[in-house]
Amino acid sequence: MRLILLTHFYPNSGAEPFLAYETQEYHGFFSSVWIAPLFNGAPSQPSKLKFSIFKPVFKHPKSKSEILFKGLFNTASSAYHRADFYQNWYKRPKTWHAFLLSVLVSRAIQSSKTGKRIAEMLHQNEPTLVYSYWSDHWTSALPYLMDTTSKTSNRLIVRSHGSDLVAVHQNGFRPFRALVLELCNYWYAISEHGKNYLIQNHPEFRDKIKVSRLGVPDRGRGPVPEVHDSLVVVSVSNIVPLKQVDKIFMLLQNLSESVVWHHFGDGEGMPELKQLVLKARSGLQVYLHGQVSTESLVKFYLQEPVHAFINLSLREGFPVSLMEAFSFGIPVYAAEVGGIPELVNPTNGYLVNPKASLQSLKFELETFWSNLKNNNSYRQQAVLTWQMHLSTNNYTQFLKEITD
């Protein structure tokens, strides 16, 4: 069986570096692997496996004019969108912008060389597994690509993470989700929280909805900090309002302890964050590393003693950055959102309400810091959580299930 993997960027940029962990496990499961990135990006990520790469549908991911041009000037169908609109969305005007964007993206995919080639392959005799790594843009085209004339030997698998599942940026809009659930063989959420969300909204498909967690490889453990060291914390995320990186700074700014804070990641909020950091108290050292490669982050974890990983995001599926922290033996102080509470507990970390006041968060972080001192069991439990639930063994089990 061959595989067609539908991605956002991978392997054309570092936007989905965690997908590289999964693709390394493809050997032995598929006769060939074809990857279809929706957007163009930086040079391809290195891989030990030889994949066939489709041409990206869009050259410029943030170009509204390209999406408009490619979505309008073609003869592709929008029949499923029309039916779905009049059945579910026409009385919800806040979703109309997202609906129009979905129509344009779907039509652009269908009319692209990549979309046409995928449709051709689905009518050939070789059994094909179509795997959409995200449940947003590509799924808007799947009913058109996998129509009733496609070979019955083909399979469809969809994976969902966080924002692509709940469509928070589109006021809850996701086109014909029930239809995609009907088309697919299985839909995998990355957490029990995601699975429950889908079942609550589509109980008729509960037998198709499963959980398959992501995972990260074993790269060893980070050095253990000395008792007398300053509190060293790390955060990894895009700098956007959803992630509340500025709130992390304000929290650390309000502590009385000596603190060293490393943040990895970039985004629209970086200029404002840099201005905030200029006001840092004398006992707070801040290092804004910006966007770095996975290899650079791994090197940091292996060389630098870190007491805790911190996350105050308002929404998450289950962040890969948290998995990586656990794998290096780093306890976490994390937001009680999405799938995070499923694996973060008092033995390996500390859960907090990301909407809580700074005073409340300060008290909880001080409590956590007090518990961490002279207590290596947190680090041991962090590693154990990774070994039991978040290693790359998850991908082997996932691939066995979808190819069985």
Side-chain angles (χ1 to χ4, degrees), residues 85 88-101 167-174:
F85 178 76
N88 297 306
W89 307 107
Y90 80 98
K91 291 184 178 180
R92 298 172 61 181
K94 289 185 177 181
T95 67
W96 290 359
H97 179 270
F99 169 80
L100 291 173
L101 177 62
V168 290
H169 303 300
Q170 295 79 26
N171 292 297
F173 173 79
R174 278 290 176 260

PDB file of all heavy atoms in Angstrom, residues 85 88-101 167-174:
ATOM      1  N   PHE A  85     -23.389  24.751   3.445  1.00  0.00           N
ATOM      2  CA  PHE A  85     -23.695  26.127   3.842  1.00  0.00           C
ATOM      3  C   PHE A  85     -25.181  26.300   4.142  1.00  0.00           C
ATOM      4  O   PHE A  85     -25.558  26.836   5.188  1.00  0.00           O
ATOM      5  CB  PHE A  85     -23.275  27.088   2.731  1.00  0.00           C
ATOM      6  CG  PHE A  85     -23.596  28.525   3.029  1.00  0.00           C
ATOM      7  CD1 PHE A  85     -22.821  29.247   3.922  1.00  0.00           C
ATOM      8  CD2 PHE A  85     -24.668  29.150   2.414  1.00  0.00           C
ATOM      9  CE1 PHE A  85     -23.117  30.577   4.206  1.00  0.00           C
ATOM     10  CE2 PHE A  85     -24.974  30.472   2.685  1.00  0.00           C
ATOM     11  CZ  PHE A  85     -24.190  31.191   3.579  1.00  0.00           C
ATOM     12  N   ASN A  88     -26.120  24.235   7.367  1.00  0.00           N
ATOM     13  CA  ASN A  88     -25.530  24.470   8.688  1.00  0.00           C
ATOM     14  C   ASN A  88     -25.065  25.894   8.984  1.00  0.00           C
ATOM     15  O   ASN A  88     -24.990  26.272  10.159  1.00  0.00           O
ATOM     16  CB  ASN A  88     -24.312  23.542   8.869  1.00  0.00           C
ATOM     17  CG  ASN A  88     -24.691  22.077   8.838  1.00  0.00           C
ATOM     18  OD1 ASN A  88     -25.548  21.643   9.585  1.00  0.00           O
ATOM     19  ND2 ASN A  88     -24.047  21.315   7.961  1.00  0.00           N
ATOM     20  N   TRP A  89     -24.748  26.714   7.964  1.00  0.00           N
ATOM     21  CA  TRP A  89     -23.999  27.927   8.239  1.00  0.00           C
ATOM     22  C   TRP A  89     -24.666  29.229   7.823  1.00  0.00           C
ATOM     23  O   TRP A  89     -24.213  30.296   8.257  1.00  0.00           O
ATOM     24  CB  TRP A  89     -22.619  27.846   7.570  1.00  0.00           C
ATOM     25  CG  TRP A  89     -21.879  26.610   7.919  1.00  0.00           C
ATOM     26  CD1 TRP A  89     -21.651  25.526   7.114  1.00  0.00           C
ATOM     27  CD2 TRP A  89     -21.274  26.285   9.177  1.00  0.00           C
ATOM     28  NE1 TRP A  89     -20.955  24.559   7.787  1.00  0.00           N
ATOM     29  CE2 TRP A  89     -20.711  24.999   9.058  1.00  0.00           C
ATOM     30  CE3 TRP A  89     -21.160  26.955  10.390  1.00  0.00           C
ATOM     31  CZ2 TRP A  89     -20.043  24.369  10.100  1.00  0.00           C
ATOM     32  CZ3 TRP A  89     -20.500  26.339  11.427  1.00  0.00           C
ATOM     33  CH2 TRP A  89     -19.945  25.067  11.285  1.00  0.00           C
ATOM     34  N   TYR A  90     -25.696  29.203   6.996  1.00  0.00           N
ATOM     35  CA  TYR A  90     -26.195  30.461   6.443  1.00  0.00           C
ATOM     36  C   TYR A  90     -26.814  31.362   7.500  1.00  0.00           C
ATOM     37  O   TYR A  90     -26.919  32.578   7.309  1.00  0.00           O
ATOM     38  CB  TYR A  90     -27.177  30.197   5.299  1.00  0.00           C
ATOM     39  CG  TYR A  90     -28.585  29.821   5.731  1.00  0.00           C
ATOM     40  CD1 TYR A  90     -29.605  30.778   5.770  1.00  0.00           C
ATOM     41  CD2 TYR A  90     -28.901  28.506   6.071  1.00  0.00           C
ATOM     42  CE1 TYR A  90     -30.891  30.439   6.158  1.00  0.00           C
ATOM     43  CE2 TYR A  90     -30.172  28.172   6.464  1.00  0.00           C
ATOM     44  CZ  TYR A  90     -31.168  29.135   6.500  1.00  0.00           C
ATOM     45  OH  TYR A  90     -32.441  28.793   6.891  1.00  0.00           O
ATOM     46  N   LYS A  91     -27.212  30.811   8.630  1.00  0.00           N
ATOM     47  CA  LYS A  91     -27.758  31.612   9.722  1.00  0.00           C
ATOM     48  C   LYS A  91     -26.687  32.035  10.732  1.00  0.00           C
ATOM     49  O   LYS A  91     -27.001  32.601  11.773  1.00  0.00           O
ATOM     50  CB  LYS A  91     -28.860  30.836  10.451  1.00  0.00           C
ATOM     51  CG  LYS A  91     -30.133  30.638   9.627  1.00  0.00           C
ATOM     52  CD  LYS A  91     -31.208  29.947  10.449  1.00  0.00           C
ATOM     53  CE  LYS A  91     -32.494  29.781   9.639  1.00  0.00           C
ATOM     54  NZ  LYS A  91     -33.559  29.094  10.438  1.00  0.00           N
ATOM     55  N   ARG A  92     -25.429  31.762  10.412  1.00  0.00           N
ATOM     56  CA  ARG A  92     -24.323  32.113  11.315  1.00  0.00           C
ATOM     57  C   ARG A  92     -23.331  32.996  10.562  1.00  0.00           C
ATOM     58  O   ARG A  92     -22.289  32.541  10.105  1.00  0.00           O
ATOM     59  CB  ARG A  92     -23.638  30.845  11.832  1.00  0.00           C
ATOM     60  CG  ARG A  92     -24.569  29.948  12.640  1.00  0.00           C
ATOM     61  CD  ARG A  92     -23.944  28.604  12.980  1.00  0.00           C
ATOM     62  NE  ARG A  92     -22.738  28.760  13.780  1.00  0.00           N
ATOM     63  CZ  ARG A  92     -21.990  27.729  14.195  1.00  0.00           C
ATOM     64  NH1 ARG A  92     -22.365  26.484  13.893  1.00  0.00           N
ATOM     65  NH2 ARG A  92     -20.906  27.939  14.907  1.00  0.00           N
ATOM     66  N   PRO A  93     -23.658  34.288  10.391  1.00  0.00           N
ATOM     67  CA  PRO A  93     -22.841  35.181   9.559  1.00  0.00           C
ATOM     68  C   PRO A  93     -21.387  35.315  10.002  1.00  0.00           C
ATOM     69  O   PRO A  93     -20.523  35.650   9.190  1.00  0.00           O
ATOM     70  CB  PRO A  93     -23.579  36.525   9.649  1.00  0.00           C
ATOM     71  CG  PRO A  93     -24.492  36.408  10.828  1.00  0.00           C
ATOM     72  CD  PRO A  93     -24.844  34.965  10.938  1.00  0.00           C
ATOM     73  N   LYS A  94     -21.093  35.052  11.291  1.00  0.00           N
ATOM     74  CA  LYS A  94     -19.717  35.149  11.754  1.00  0.00           C
ATOM     75  C   LYS A  94     -18.820  34.092  11.107  1.00  0.00           C
ATOM     76  O   LYS A  94     -17.591  34.209  11.140  1.00  0.00           O
ATOM     77  CB  LYS A  94     -19.657  35.022  13.272  1.00  0.00           C
ATOM     78  CG  LYS A  94     -20.206  36.236  14.009  1.00  0.00           C
ATOM     79  CD  LYS A  94     -20.018  36.101  15.507  1.00  0.00           C
ATOM     80  CE  LYS A  94     -20.504  37.345  16.240  1.00  0.00           C
ATOM     81  NZ  LYS A  94     -20.313  37.239  17.712  1.00  0.00           N
ATOM     82  N   THR A  95     -19.424  33.058  10.526  1.00  0.00           N
ATOM     83  CA  THR A  95     -18.644  31.996   9.892  1.00  0.00           C
ATOM     84  C   THR A  95     -18.480  32.209   8.392  1.00  0.00           C
ATOM     85  O   THR A  95     -17.764  31.447   7.743  1.00  0.00           O
ATOM     86  CB  THR A  95     -19.305  30.619  10.106  1.00  0.00           C
ATOM     87  OG1 THR A  95     -20.560  30.572   9.382  1.00  0.00           O
ATOM     88  CG2 THR A  95     -19.559  30.359  11.572  1.00  0.00           C
ATOM     89  N   TRP A  96     -19.116  33.215   7.827  1.00  0.00           N
ATOM     90  CA  TRP A  96     -19.129  33.360   6.374  1.00  0.00           C
ATOM     91  C   TRP A  96     -17.749  33.621   5.792  1.00  0.00           C
ATOM     92  O   TRP A  96     -17.423  33.112   4.722  1.00  0.00           O
ATOM     93  CB  TRP A  96     -20.087  34.483   5.972  1.00  0.00           C
ATOM     94  CG  TRP A  96     -21.537  34.125   6.209  1.00  0.00           C
ATOM     95  CD1 TRP A  96     -22.029  32.945   6.703  1.00  0.00           C
ATOM     96  CD2 TRP A  96     -22.670  34.966   5.981  1.00  0.00           C
ATOM     97  NE1 TRP A  96     -23.398  32.989   6.811  1.00  0.00           N
ATOM     98  CE2 TRP A  96     -23.827  34.226   6.376  1.00  0.00           C
ATOM     99  CE3 TRP A  96     -22.836  36.271   5.521  1.00  0.00           C
ATOM    100  CZ2 TRP A  96     -25.111  34.742   6.282  1.00  0.00           C
ATOM    101  CZ3 TRP A  96     -24.120  36.794   5.424  1.00  0.00           C
ATOM    102  CH2 TRP A  96     -25.241  36.035   5.797  1.00  0.00           C
ATOM    103  N   HIS A  97     -16.942  34.396   6.493  1.00  0.00           N
ATOM    104  CA  HIS A  97     -15.588  34.645   5.989  1.00  0.00           C
ATOM    105  C   HIS A  97     -14.790  33.343   5.926  1.00  0.00           C
ATOM    106  O   HIS A  97     -14.104  33.055   4.934  1.00  0.00           O
ATOM    107  CB  HIS A  97     -14.875  35.664   6.874  1.00  0.00           C
ATOM    108  CG  HIS A  97     -13.464  35.954   6.441  1.00  0.00           C
ATOM    109  ND1 HIS A  97     -12.384  35.228   6.922  1.00  0.00           N
ATOM    110  CD2 HIS A  97     -12.953  36.857   5.560  1.00  0.00           C
ATOM    111  CE1 HIS A  97     -11.279  35.688   6.363  1.00  0.00           C
ATOM    112  NE2 HIS A  97     -11.587  36.670   5.534  1.00  0.00           N
ATOM    113  N   ALA A  98     -14.886  32.543   6.992  1.00  0.00           N
ATOM    114  CA  ALA A  98     -14.185  31.256   7.016  1.00  0.00           C
ATOM    115  C   ALA A  98     -14.741  30.320   5.943  1.00  0.00           C
ATOM    116  O   ALA A  98     -13.995  29.548   5.332  1.00  0.00           O
ATOM    117  CB  ALA A  98     -14.322  30.605   8.390  1.00  0.00           C
ATOM    118  N   PHE A  99     -16.055  30.395   5.715  1.00  0.00           N
ATOM    119  CA  PHE A  99     -16.669  29.565   4.669  1.00  0.00           C
ATOM    120  C   PHE A  99     -16.102  29.916   3.298  1.00  0.00           C
ATOM    121  O   PHE A  99     -15.720  29.035   2.521  1.00  0.00           O
ATOM    122  CB  PHE A  99     -18.186  29.760   4.677  1.00  0.00           C
ATOM    123  CG  PHE A  99     -18.880  29.170   3.480  1.00  0.00           C
ATOM    124  CD1 PHE A  99     -19.146  27.815   3.410  1.00  0.00           C
ATOM    125  CD2 PHE A  99     -19.244  29.979   2.403  1.00  0.00           C
ATOM    126  CE1 PHE A  99     -19.760  27.258   2.298  1.00  0.00           C
ATOM    127  CE2 PHE A  99     -19.860  29.436   1.286  1.00  0.00           C
ATOM    128  CZ  PHE A  99     -20.126  28.071   1.234  1.00  0.00           C
ATOM    129  N   LEU A 100     -16.025  31.206   2.991  1.00  0.00           N
ATOM    130  CA  LEU A 100     -15.506  31.635   1.688  1.00  0.00           C
ATOM    131  C   LEU A 100     -14.047  31.233   1.525  1.00  0.00           C
ATOM    132  O   LEU A 100     -13.632  30.791   0.445  1.00  0.00           O
ATOM    133  CB  LEU A 100     -15.664  33.148   1.540  1.00  0.00           C
ATOM    134  CG  LEU A 100     -17.101  33.658   1.395  1.00  0.00           C
ATOM    135  CD1 LEU A 100     -17.132  35.175   1.422  1.00  0.00           C
ATOM    136  CD2 LEU A 100     -17.728  33.130   0.110  1.00  0.00           C
ATOM    137  N   LEU A 101     -13.260  31.367   2.596  1.00  0.00           N
ATOM    138  CA  LEU A 101     -11.858  30.951   2.539  1.00  0.00           C
ATOM    139  C   LEU A 101     -11.758  29.457   2.253  1.00  0.00           C
ATOM    140  O   LEU A 101     -10.936  29.015   1.445  1.00  0.00           O
ATOM    141  CB  LEU A 101     -11.159  31.280   3.855  1.00  0.00           C
ATOM    142  CG  LEU A 101      -9.697  30.824   3.970  1.00  0.00           C
ATOM    143  CD1 LEU A 101      -8.839  31.506   2.910  1.00  0.00           C
ATOM    144  CD2 LEU A 101      -9.152  31.108   5.363  1.00  0.00           C
ATOM    145  N   ALA A 167     -11.420  24.812  15.520  1.00  0.00           N
ATOM    146  CA  ALA A 167     -11.633  25.920  14.580  1.00  0.00           C
ATOM    147  C   ALA A 167     -11.903  27.236  15.299  1.00  0.00           C
ATOM    148  O   ALA A 167     -12.792  27.990  14.923  1.00  0.00           O
ATOM    149  CB  ALA A 167     -12.785  25.584  13.630  1.00  0.00           C
ATOM    150  N   VAL A 168     -11.105  27.522  16.311  1.00  0.00           N
ATOM    151  CA  VAL A 168     -11.337  28.737  17.096  1.00  0.00           C
ATOM    152  C   VAL A 168     -11.129  30.006  16.273  1.00  0.00           C
ATOM    153  O   VAL A 168     -11.788  31.020  16.510  1.00  0.00           O
ATOM    154  CB  VAL A 168     -10.418  28.774  18.331  1.00  0.00           C
ATOM    155  CG1 VAL A 168     -10.836  27.733  19.332  1.00  0.00           C
ATOM    156  CG2 VAL A 168      -8.950  28.572  17.925  1.00  0.00           C
ATOM    157  N   HIS A 169     -10.233  29.952  15.301  1.00  0.00           N
ATOM    158  CA  HIS A 169      -9.962  31.140  14.495  1.00  0.00           C
ATOM    159  C   HIS A 169     -11.025  31.346  13.423  1.00  0.00           C
ATOM    160  O   HIS A 169     -11.043  32.378  12.754  1.00  0.00           O
ATOM    161  CB  HIS A 169      -8.579  31.021  13.831  1.00  0.00           C
ATOM    162  CG  HIS A 169      -7.473  30.809  14.806  1.00  0.00           C
ATOM    163  ND1 HIS A 169      -7.187  31.709  15.809  1.00  0.00           N
ATOM    164  CD2 HIS A 169      -6.585  29.791  14.962  1.00  0.00           C
ATOM    165  CE1 HIS A 169      -6.161  31.270  16.526  1.00  0.00           C
ATOM    166  NE2 HIS A 169      -5.790  30.110  16.029  1.00  0.00           N
ATOM    167  N   GLN A 170     -11.902  30.381  13.245  1.00  0.00           N
ATOM    168  CA  GLN A 170     -12.953  30.472  12.228  1.00  0.00           C
ATOM    169  C   GLN A 170     -14.347  30.468  12.851  1.00  0.00           C
ATOM    170  O   GLN A 170     -15.317  30.087  12.208  1.00  0.00           O
ATOM    171  CB  GLN A 170     -12.833  29.294  11.233  1.00  0.00           C
ATOM    172  CG  GLN A 170     -11.565  29.306  10.393  1.00  0.00           C
ATOM    173  CD  GLN A 170     -10.349  28.793  11.154  1.00  0.00           C
ATOM    174  OE1 GLN A 170     -10.465  28.005  12.094  1.00  0.00           O
ATOM    175  NE2 GLN A 170      -9.172  29.243  10.764  1.00  0.00           N
ATOM    176  N   ASN A 171     -14.411  30.883  14.121  1.00  0.00           N
ATOM    177  CA  ASN A 171     -15.699  30.920  14.835  1.00  0.00           C
ATOM    178  C   ASN A 171     -16.414  29.570  14.806  1.00  0.00           C
ATOM    179  O   ASN A 171     -17.636  29.499  14.709  1.00  0.00           O
ATOM    180  CB  ASN A 171     -16.602  32.004  14.236  1.00  0.00           C
ATOM    181  CG  ASN A 171     -16.084  33.399  14.501  1.00  0.00           C
ATOM    182  OD1 ASN A 171     -15.983  33.834  15.647  1.00  0.00           O
ATOM    183  ND2 ASN A 171     -15.719  34.106  13.436  1.00  0.00           N
ATOM    184  N   GLY A 172     -15.610  28.506  14.897  1.00  0.00           N
ATOM    185  CA  GLY A 172     -16.182  27.170  14.960  1.00  0.00           C
ATOM    186  C   GLY A 172     -16.467  26.535  13.618  1.00  0.00           C
ATOM    187  O   GLY A 172     -16.938  25.399  13.557  1.00  0.00           O
ATOM    188  N   PHE A 173     -16.180  27.224  12.517  1.00  0.00           N
ATOM    189  CA  PHE A 173     -16.514  26.683  11.199  1.00  0.00           C
ATOM    190  C   PHE A 173     -15.530  25.616  10.747  1.00  0.00           C
ATOM    191  O   PHE A 173     -14.324  25.832  10.720  1.00  0.00           O
ATOM    192  CB  PHE A 173     -16.541  27.799  10.152  1.00  0.00           C
ATOM    193  CG  PHE A 173     -16.718  27.285   8.743  1.00  0.00           C
ATOM    194  CD1 PHE A 173     -17.981  26.916   8.292  1.00  0.00           C
ATOM    195  CD2 PHE A 173     -15.646  27.144   7.882  1.00  0.00           C
ATOM    196  CE1 PHE A 173     -18.153  26.423   7.006  1.00  0.00           C
ATOM    197  CE2 PHE A 173     -15.808  26.654   6.597  1.00  0.00           C
ATOM    198  CZ  PHE A 173     -17.070  26.307   6.151  1.00  0.00           C
ATOM    199  N   ARG A 174     -16.054  24.493  10.394  1.00  0.00           N
ATOM    200  CA  ARG A 174     -15.336  23.450   9.684  1.00  0.00           C
ATOM    201  C   ARG A 174     -16.323  22.824   8.707  1.00  0.00           C
ATOM    202  O   ARG A 174     -17.371  22.326   9.114  1.00  0.00           O
ATOM    203  CB  ARG A 174     -14.792  22.379  10.639  1.00  0.00           C
ATOM    204  CG  ARG A 174     -13.490  22.759  11.303  1.00  0.00           C
ATOM    205  CD  ARG A 174     -12.346  22.761  10.331  1.00  0.00           C
ATOM    206  NE  ARG A 174     -11.092  23.214  10.942  1.00  0.00           N
ATOM    207  CZ  ARG A 174     -10.590  24.424  10.831  1.00  0.00           C
ATOM    208  NH1 ARG A 174     -11.257  25.334  10.165  1.00  0.00           N
ATOM    209  NH2 ARG A 174      -9.440  24.749  11.383  1.00  0.00           N
TER     210      ARG A 174
END
